[in-house]
Amino acid sequence: MSLVEVKDILALRQTSRRLCAMSKLRWVWFDAMKRHVVQKGLPIPAASVADLKALDAAHLEARAVHAARFHENWNSPHPTARKAIEFSALTYLDDQLPDDAPCAVSHLSFLPGRNGKYLITVVGRVLTCWEVPLGETEAYRVAEWIAAKRIEQVIVNDEPGSEIVLAYVSAHATTQGVVECRALSFDKFHGKFTCRMELRAHRQATTPLHLLHRDYLVFGDPMHVCYLSSPSMVKPLGKPSLAELPDNSILAVKPVNRYLLIVRQRSLEVTPAPSWRGVRPPYPALVTASSNIEMEVPASSAVVVVRHVFAASPDELPDWPAEPVTILSRYSDDGFETLHQYDLLPNPKAREKEDAKEDDLVLDRIPCIFPSDCTRILSVAPSSCDLRVGPSGKGFWTETRNVVVRHAKNPARCLVGFEVTNAKDEPEDGRKAGPPTARVELSKDVLYARRCNIHEILWKKYIICSTALEDTVGRIAVGDVTGKVEVLDLA
C-alpha cells in the first residue's frame, strides 16, 4: 500500500473496512513518508527526518498528507489557497491620529523554523509579531517593538535555533545622517522583544543589511561583519575593491556551509564564512581569502538557492554542498527583461583537499566552479519584482498580468511561482554521467492575484507592497498599503 501515492492511500481507505484498518497502520505512513516526501526532497512540516521514528501513525499521516497536498497544489494547473486569514496590522500610537499614521505594511517575514506560525509585520515604526496558527481563522498579536523613527529595513535570522531572531535599521532620533541597527530576541512566553545589540554609525557604513545568520550580522558596502555573541566586534569582510567598481552593488549574500556567496551586480565572490562550527576564522582570512569572477552586464536583482530541505548539524555538513548552488539574476538589456540561471558546481579538487583535512583558509582551490555562462535564460515581464525563494527551492516573484474574472479581463498583480529542483539526467549509450544540474520549473498558473487599476500601473505604486513565503507548511503572506495582511494556506 505504501507504493501508491498519498492521495490514493486515502482513497483506498474508503473502499472497505479491511483497507481502512490497514491504511491506519504506522508502517504504511512511515514508508509513505520516506518514499513520497523524503525521497522527493519535500520538507516535513513540524518535524525532521530524525523525528520520524518517534512519531505515531496519526502524526506521520498528518505530515505526509500536508506535504503532499502542498506540493501537488503548487504544481497543479490552477493553484488555489485552501484557506485565507485576513487581519489589520495597524497600531495607532499615543502621539498619532488615525489619519496621520502610516498604513503601508512595509515588511513581512515568517520566523524560520517555526512552521509559519509566527509572522513579523512592520508598519511605520512599529514592529509586531503575530501568531497565526494552522487551522485557525484569526491572528493574535504576540509581541511589539516601537522604534524611535520609521523602520527602514528588517532581516530575520535564517538559523532557527538562534537566540537573536531579527535585526532592523532606523534613523537616529536626533542626529541626522546616523542610523541605529538593533538585533532583537523574541520571548514568546512573555510576549516581548529584547534588544541584544545596538550599533550606531553613519548611514553609508551601516546600510543596507545583507545577512543575519546564527551569531553574526553582515552589513554595508564595503561589507563588515558584526559578531553578536561574546566577544562582540566588527570586522571588514570580503574584497573592498569590488565595491569601488561602477554598478556593482550587493544583491544577495548567502551562507553556503563553510563559505559566503556574495552576488553583486557585476561579480560573484566566495569568501570564508565569519563563523563555522563555532570557530571564527582569523582576520586576514575574512579579507584576503576570497575568490571572485566579474560579469559583463549588471544585474538588477538576484537570489541564491541552496536547497537545505533536511537540516543537518554543522558537523555533518561538508565545506560545500554536493548539489549545485543556483543563482537567479534578473537583467535588463535593450528593453528585454530576462532571468538568468547560474549553477555553481562543487570543485572536485577542493573536495580532495577537504578529505585531506587541511584547515587553512587560503583559497588556492576555490570550493566551487564559477560558471562560464548561464545555464538557462527565462523571459520575464518588465513589471516583475520582489523575487523570493525558500530553503526547499520553491519561490515566486510579483508581476502584472491580465486575469479573467467573471468573463471580464482585468489587470492584476500576480504571484508567479517557480521551483528549483535537481535535474538527474540518465547517461546514454553507456557514457559516464555528467555533473548534476538544477532545473527551474515555473508554476502552470499564478499562485495569487489581486486586481489593480490603471493608475497603479502608470505610477508603479501598487497596492501590494510586501510579501513573504514559508515553504515548509506552504504559506504565503501578502501586505498592502492599507495595512491589511492576508495569509494564504496552500496545503
Side-chain angles (χ1 to χ4, degrees):
M1 182 177 289
S2 60
L3 299 179
V4 301
E5 297 292 335
V6 172
K7 62 178 182 180
D8 297 328
I9 298 178
L10 299 177
L12 288 173
R13 177 179 295 178
Q14 309 298 325
T15 58
S16 67
R17 293 181 179 180
R18 180 173 176 271
L19 292 179
C20 179
M22 185 180 296
S23 65
K24 296 181 181 181
L25 296 178
R26 185 185 182 279
W27 67 266
V28 172
W29 290 107
F30 186 83
D31 291 349
M33 177 71 75
K34 287 286 188 178
R35 182 179 300 273
H36 303 301
V37 178
V38 177
Q39 292 183 5
K40 292 182 179 180
L42 305 182
I44 304 174
S48 62
V49 178
D51 299 332
L52 297 182
K53 295 182 179 179
L55 298 178
D56 58 12
H59 288 87
L60 287 172
E61 177 183 350
R63 284 159 174 78
V65 171
H66 192 103
R69 282 179 177 174
F70 171 45
H71 184 69
E72 181 182 0
N73 189 20
W74 186 279
N75 296 284
S76 65
H78 302 285
T80 55
R82 313 281 186 182
K83 182 182 294 185
I85 303 174
E86 295 185 8
F87 63 93
S88 176
L90 298 181
T91 299
Y92 298 117
L93 304 179
D94 296 337
D95 57 347
Q96 291 178 335
L97 296 175
D99 296 336
D100 301 332
C103 298
V105 183
S106 59
H107 179 83
L108 286 173
S109 286
F110 289 102
L111 292 183
R114 293 168 173 84
N115 299 290
K117 186 178 181 180
Y118 295 101
L119 178 67
I120 300 295
T121 64
V122 174
V123 179
R125 59 192 184 97
V126 181
L127 185 149
T128 310
C129 179
W130 302 83
E131 183 179 358
V132 192
L134 289 173
E136 298 288 337
T137 58
E138 295 182 4
Y140 308 95
R141 193 190 306 265
V142 179
E144 193 173 76
W145 181 274
I146 302 176
K149 292 289 184 178
R150 184 180 66 87
I151 297 177
E152 302 176 6
Q153 185 186 4
V154 177
I155 58 173
V156 296
N157 200 325
D158 56 8
E159 185 68 22
S162 299
E163 180 183 6
I164 296 177
V165 296
L166 60 89
Y168 75 88
V169 168
S170 63
H172 192 265
T174 57
T175 308
Q176 188 176 4
V178 176
V179 297
E180 293 180 340
C181 177
R182 296 174 184 258
L184 307 179
S185 62
F186 172 55
D187 186 355
K188 63 180 180 181
F189 181 79
H190 296 93
K192 65 177 183 178
F193 289 106
T194 305
C195 182
R196 298 297 183 181
M197 186 277 298
E198 182 178 355
L199 178 66
R200 297 181 182 179
H202 290 284
R203 181 179 297 275
Q204 293 81 0
T206 311
T207 57
L209 304 180
H210 303 301
L211 172 68
L212 178 60
H213 182 69
R214 291 179 183 163
D215 63 339
Y216 62 85
L217 174 68
V218 179
F219 60 89
D221 192 12
M223 291 188 305
H224 289 76
V225 56
C226 176
Y227 291 99
L228 307 177
S229 60
S230 181
S232 180
M233 59 185 69
V234 178
K235 292 183 178 181
L237 179 66
K239 290 185 177 180
S241 59
L242 295 177
E244 302 175 358
L245 298 178
D247 297 330
N248 201 29
S249 302
I250 297 176
L251 302 179
V253 179
K254 186 73 173 180
V256 187
N257 296 358
R258 192 181 184 181
Y259 300 91
L260 280 186
L261 176 58
I262 303 152
V263 181
R264 293 178 175 268
Q265 289 183 278
R266 287 183 175 270
S267 63
L268 305 177
E269 181 182 5
V270 175
T271 186
S275 177
W276 171 246
R277 294 176 180 173
V279 179
R280 302 178 183 179
Y283 167 71
L286 296 177
V287 180
T288 59
S290 64
S291 181
N292 65 281
I293 182 175
E294 296 186 7
M295 319 296 286
E296 296 181 358
V297 182
S300 57
S301 62
V303 293
V304 181
V305 183
V306 183
R307 298 186 74 248
H308 283 163
V309 180
F310 309 116
S313 63
D315 297 335
E316 300 175 356
L317 293 175
D319 289 354
W320 189 270
E323 298 181 355
V325 176
T326 303
I327 301 174
L328 300 178
S329 301
R330 181 185 171 186
Y331 292 88
S332 301
D333 189 14
D334 294 334
F336 294 95
E337 303 288 336
T338 55
L339 189 68
H340 291 203
Q341 173 190 345
Y342 297 93
D343 292 331
L344 275 63
L345 303 178
N347 188 356
K349 296 183 178 180
R351 186 170 294 275
E352 294 175 0
K353 179 180 177 181
E354 177 186 348
D355 296 338
K357 297 183 180 180
E358 299 181 17
D359 295 331
D360 59 286
L361 289 175
V362 179
L363 294 187
D364 53 348
R365 294 179 179 177
I366 60 176
C368 62
I369 301 176
F370 286 123
S372 58
D373 199 358
C374 60
T375 307
R376 185 184 179 188
I377 298 178
L378 300 174
S379 298
V380 296
S383 60
S384 60
C385 62
D386 197 19
L387 187 62
R388 298 188 179 276
V389 69
S392 68
K394 290 183 173 65
F396 63 81
W397 67 75
T398 310
E399 69 176 36
T400 304
R401 286 187 178 185
N402 288 326
V403 297
V404 178
V405 179
R406 296 179 181 177
H407 307 287
K409 184 178 293 187
N410 299 284
R413 292 294 284 175
C414 304
L415 303 185
V416 181
F418 65 89
E419 184 176 8
V420 180
T421 59
N422 292 329
K424 299 180 180 179
D425 297 331
E426 297 293 336
E428 299 179 357
D429 301 332
R431 298 179 182 178
K432 187 178 180 181
T437 58
R439 179 175 62 248
V440 179
E441 298 178 353
L442 298 181
S443 298
K444 300 177 182 179
D445 201 355
V446 298
L447 304 174
Y448 173 82
R450 181 183 293 188
R451 288 182 55 181
C452 60
N453 55 45
I454 191 64
H455 301 287
E456 298 179 42
I457 300 175
L458 292 178
W459 294 98
K460 295 184 179 180
K461 294 182 178 180
Y462 303 101
I463 189 171
I464 297 178
C465 54
S466 57
T467 57
L469 171 65
E470 212 295 325
D471 60 347
T472 302
V473 298
R475 275 191 159 179
I476 294 176
V478 180
D480 61 20
V481 296
T482 65
K484 186 178 74 172
V485 177
E486 192 172 0
V487 180
L488 311 173
D489 288 332
L490 299 180

